[in-house]
Amino acid sequence: SLSSFVWDYTFKITAFLPFISMLFAFLMLYTVGGAQALKKHWVAAMLSGLVLSLTALFLAYSRIAPVEIIGILSGLATMFFVYFYYKNGSNATKNQTFFQKDLLVASSPFILLILLSFVVNMHSVKLYLSNLLNHYEVITVFADKKEDLNILSSVWFLIMVVSLLSIFILKPTANQLNNTVKLWLKRIWGPFLAYSLFFSVAYIMAWSGMDVIDGKLLPTANFAQNNMDIIIAQGFAQSFGSFYPLVAPFLGLIGAFVGGSATASNVLFAKIQWEATISTVGINSFMWIYAAHAVGGGIASAITPSKITNAAATIGVGGKEEAQFIKATILPVLFMCLLVGILSMIFIYL
């Protein structure tokens, strides 16, 4: 079933995280403060990486929380750990009460998102919201191919709702709100165009070698010879053979770097990974391959231009700092992808 597929896929992604999360924490420390910061805070970085990854791994294994909020809960657990770790070690914070008003108010959007996510992802609630708009949220992509957007049950819709509610909770000034809207309008077009182009390209590649017959999009007689995904996958299979798991994460990295997110990468390369896996290590290994692909896409977030641009705008730095950040992180990111590939080989062959 789809639910079993999603849970299995999620668990396999989290299996990589104990290694990758720690390395990511070290990378952030080194990027911000160099060797001195790494020497001073390596224990906190290592433990926070383990807290995040093991929390995600436990939630994926136990299935006690909706899969959509595993990342949120793991991040929350890590935030609590870091807070208490430094609170207990700092004289300046020992006398402060736990429920500081400013901290609680600042955290309220995050807390509200978690609560709403729990409610919306309850089976009965999610089913109701998924069917509420009925055919109004079903769009025709091409010929008989349709997509149900499921807007009201989407986590992105919840984020929008929480963002709007946060205006009344955080009570920004008119100037702050105006600057936020201007910044959003400035940033939105890059990700919007990237997603649009990547999904369009993914559809073109997946449906190449097909034709519309009686209103239905169907494979032609030469589909296997003309389909772009199959051709690319066969090229990878012939080039890497049984070592294909080693390079699978790099497809995720490339897709996310160009498209701006792991989601765009997953959409673009899903069928290619499927075909290449069947031709090399076998269909039973696909979940590990695709999980490694997703992790590679997640790692690429460290060097994705669109996200770096957003982060730079948030903290008020310019293009020079962005270029320096990419230069400083490119080699560690490639190393982490290689590590994911090695782990994939271990998970598949051992």
Side-chain angles (χ1 to χ4, degrees):
S1 67
L2 178 60
S3 177
S4 298
F5 173 88
V6 170
W7 277 112
D8 186 33
Y9 177 53
T10 303
F11 175 74
K12 285 180 167 57
I13 289 175
T14 59
F16 292 96
L17 296 187
F19 308 94
I20 301 305
S21 295
M22 285 192 296
L23 288 176
F24 240 122
F26 293 148
L27 174 60
M28 287 189 290
L29 265 183
Y30 183 78
T31 303
V32 173
Q36 186 65 29
L38 195 58
K39 181 179 179 180
K40 184 177 180 180
H41 300 286
W42 72 270
V43 174
M46 179 185 69
L47 293 177
S48 62
L50 285 174
V51 168
L52 185 144
S53 57
L54 294 179
T55 301
L57 188 61
F58 169 75
L59 292 173
Y61 177 77
S62 63
R63 304 185 182 185
I64 60 175
V67 69
E68 291 86 352
I69 63 170
I70 286 178
I72 296 174
L73 293 177
S74 301
L76 182 64
T78 308
M79 289 167 61
F80 273 116
F81 167 77
V82 172
Y83 175 78
F84 282 114
Y85 182 89
Y86 284 103
K87 178 181 173 65
N88 293 332
S90 173
N91 292 327
T93 58
K94 283 182 178 179
N95 296 325
Q96 293 179 357
T97 59
F98 173 72
F99 291 107
Q100 299 173 50
K101 182 180 178 181
D102 290 344
L103 178 62
L104 195 59
V105 171
S107 304
S108 58
F110 195 72
I111 297 171
L112 185 59
L113 179 61
I114 293 173
L115 294 175
L116 281 177
S117 297
F118 262 115
V119 174
V120 169
N121 284 287
M122 294 173 61
H123 180 71
S124 57
V125 177
K126 189 168 187 175
L127 186 63
Y128 173 76
L129 292 175
S130 297
N131 296 325
L132 190 61
L133 295 180
N134 205 353
H135 63 278
Y136 293 107
E137 60 179 356
V138 177
I139 61 172
T140 300
V141 181
F142 183 73
D144 62 321
K145 301 296 183 181
K146 301 179 184 295
E147 289 290 341
D148 189 342
L149 301 179
N150 286 326
I151 296 171
L152 299 181
S153 60
S154 167
V155 67
W156 308 113
F157 179 76
L158 289 182
I159 292 174
M160 185 188 73
V161 171
V162 170
S163 297
L164 294 175
L165 291 176
S166 297
I167 296 175
F168 303 98
I169 298 172
L170 301 177
K171 298 178 181 178
T173 64
N175 187 52
Q176 289 173 330
L177 193 58
N178 184 51
N179 289 337
T180 300
V181 172
K182 285 182 178 179
L183 191 59
W184 174 75
L185 288 173
K186 181 180 178 181
R187 293 182 189 173
I188 187 64
W189 304 111
F192 173 77
L193 289 174
Y195 274 116
S196 300
L197 289 173
F198 259 62
F199 274 82
S200 299
V201 170
Y203 280 127
I204 291 171
M205 293 175 68
W207 295 342
S208 57
M210 303 177 76
D211 200 359
V212 179
I213 303 173
D214 295 329
K216 295 182 178 181
L217 189 64
L218 300 171
T220 61
N222 297 317
F223 175 74
Q225 290 76 33
N226 296 327
N227 182 263
M228 296 168 68
D229 286 335
I230 294 177
I231 293 171
I232 294 172
Q234 288 175 345
F236 280 122
Q238 292 171 4
S239 299
F240 300 103
S242 59
F243 288 95
Y244 182 72
L246 199 62
V247 300
F250 289 93
L251 285 183
L253 184 145
I254 293 170
F257 181 82
V258 177
S261 74
T263 301
S265 178
N266 291 345
V267 170
L268 182 64
F269 287 112
K271 193 174 179 183
I272 293 175
Q273 293 284 26
W274 170 260
E275 297 289 346
T277 302
I278 293 175
S279 302
T280 53
V281 292
I283 191 172
N284 292 333
S285 300
F286 173 71
M287 295 299 283
W288 281 118
I289 293 292
Y290 201 44
H293 174 98
V295 175
I299 292 171
S301 296
I303 57 171
T304 299
S306 60
K307 291 186 177 179
I308 293 176
T309 300
N310 286 346
T314 301
I315 62 177
V317 297
K320 182 179 179 181
E321 287 80 3
E322 293 177 40
Q324 289 175 340
F325 182 81
I326 293 178
K327 183 178 179 180
T329 56
I330 183 66
L331 288 179
V333 163
L334 292 175
F335 170 75
M336 281 190 278
C337 274
L338 178 61
L339 177 60
V340 172
I342 294 172
L343 290 172
S344 300
M345 297 280 287
I346 294 172
F347 291 150
I348 290 172
Y349 289 118
L350 295 183

